[in-house]
Structures are given as structure tokens and as C-alpha cells.
Amino acid sequence: MNRHSRTAAVVGGVVAGVLVVPGASAVGRDGGLWGAATIAPGREGIVEVAGVPEGAEGVTLTLTAPRGTRVTGAPLDASGYRGSVAADGRGAAYTVTGGVPGQDALLPFVLAVPGNAVPGTRLRGCSLRLTDARGVPRAVGRCSVTVGLASPTLTRPLSGGPLAARPEVSGTAHPGAQVTVRDKDDQEACATTAAPDGTWNCVPGTALPAGANRLQAVAALNGVSAMSEQIDIVVAEAGAGRQ
């Protein structure tokens, strides 16, 4: 099966073994501490925090995780920083151990969101604190963590022989998500709602044009969305043999 990926780019690096869901990039807001991420239920993602001054030896940035989540890593591999994670996963910290050249760093924290989290929910309780080498608070900030949506799957039709002009399309998605199937020209082929067990299927209301095409499912729920991989298909000419 020939599949292609057409997904949003993730800002920042990807940590090996960690599934990162596309989210908002970290930006310093009026010089303050700030970080953001969108993470699907049952997955891990990276919150990148901006606003830590460069070269501030002894300064420590501490992230307190949103309620119900855990910090599982402080993976920055760069000289001048030392990362640590609390044993209970409720927080993590980076300490500046030396002068760091260049612009202010983006410090990544890996967060795990529980599988029962509701897509579109803004998780509460994520906070940031900056202290100096003596432990005196110097700045506070917040981090925004939104529950995203796991990518839907598109399991039918299969690539291969020519298809009918209105083939049945099916797959899986988060229960209750609105699923829209789009073609290579980003035109809607069909749409439906995922069943309580996560399955969905639909049939194009209008015949797909003959020839090569490409289908992709887009799931949306509570203001967040995710895309499946693309599937290459071929639609038979009118009157030709088809599956």
C-alpha cells in the first residue's frame, strides 16, 4: 500500500522514542516565561519553554505539570544545562551550569497526557518558575497544554486495482469525531461521525474523477483536529472493470 504523510510540522526537535503531536511553538511573551503544546490522549509531547535568560549561571527553571499529567523527561542535550525530573513526575527542572552563547534557549519538557483526557480540553495547573542561584524567585510564567486528537486511520479502500467512482471509505478515529475525507485537490469526498467504538465509514456523494487520486481522512472534535496518512488510489474510467 502506497501511503504518504501530509501533517503539520512540529516546532523544535523530536526526542527519540517520544511521539510528538503538533502543537503551538514556545515564544517569549513580553519577555516572560512561556511554553505551549497540544498532546493527544495517551501520548507524550514536548512543551518548549522560552524566556530563560542566556548565560545566567545557577538559574533554575522549574515546570509544574498540569493536573493529571506527568513529566517524563527533560531531554535537552546541550552544554550549559542540567535537566532533572521529580520522582513523582509532577515537575521537572533545568539548571544553567555555565554561560550559553547565542539567543535565549528553548528548554524542552516531555509530558504524558492520560488516555481518558477529553480532546479540546485546556489542562489546568501548568506553571513555570525561575529562581536564581540562591533559590530566590526571579520570574513566574505559565504553560498551555491542550489535549489534542490522535490521528485517524484510513483503512479502505486499498491501493491497487481500479476502484468504482464512489468507493466505500472507512477507518478509525476518536469516538464522536467528525471525519471528513478529502481528495488530492483538497475537495471533500465524503464525511461522517466516528461511532462509539471509533469506527467510521462513508461513500462519496459525487463520483470521483477517473484516474489517479489520493484520499486522506481529517478528524475534528472540540476545536482540535488531526489527519491520517494519505492513500493513493486509481478510479476506473466509466464502463471499465473496477473493484
Side-chain angles (χ1 to χ4, degrees):
M1 185 181 298
N2 187 11
R3 293 175 180 266
H4 300 261
S5 176
R6 184 177 69 185
T7 57
V10 178
V11 176
V14 176
V15 181
V18 175
L19 175 59
V20 180
V21 176
S25 62
V27 292
R29 290 192 169 182
D30 299 325
L33 301 173
W34 172 253
T38 299
I39 308 172
R43 307 291 178 89
E44 292 182 319
I46 296 176
V47 177
E48 290 183 317
V49 178
V52 180
E54 62 175 278
E57 187 169 355
V59 163
T60 297
L61 170 70
T62 301
L63 179 146
T64 299
R67 288 191 288 273
T69 69
R70 294 180 300 107
V71 184
T72 59
L76 180 65
D77 184 17
S79 61
Y81 292 96
R82 181 180 68 251
S84 61
V85 178
D88 61 0
R90 287 294 303 131
Y94 282 103
T95 298
V96 180
T97 59
V100 183
Q103 298 179 341
D104 295 354
L106 292 177
L107 303 183
F109 296 87
V110 182
L111 264 65
V113 169
N116 62 354
V118 179
T121 303
R122 180 72 61 85
L123 301 179
R124 299 179 179 274
C126 190
S127 63
L128 303 164
R129 185 177 78 257
L130 197 68
T131 55
D132 64 18
R134 296 172 297 172
V136 177
R138 293 302 183 189
V140 295
R142 65 186 183 87
C143 31
S144 173
V145 179
T146 301
V147 182
L149 198 62
S151 297
T153 66
L154 205 169
T155 56
R156 289 182 61 88
L158 302 177
S159 297
L163 302 172
R166 297 178 59 225
E168 180 179 1
V169 188
S170 61
T172 61
H174 192 95
Q178 177 70 24
V179 179
T180 303
V181 178
R182 297 191 174 277
D183 66 13
K184 63 181 178 62
D185 297 317
D186 204 30
Q187 297 299 307
E188 180 180 315
C190 61
T192 188
T193 300
D197 65 356
T199 60
W200 61 267
N201 66 83
C202 60
V203 175
T206 303
L208 297 174
N213 210 323
R214 187 173 290 168
L215 300 179
Q216 182 175 44
V218 181
L221 182 66
N222 298 335
V224 292
S225 61
M227 296 180 289
S228 73
E229 292 184 324
Q230 294 178 325
I231 296 179
D232 286 336
I233 63 169
V234 176
V235 177
E237 297 285 348
R242 57 186 183 270
Q243 297 179 347

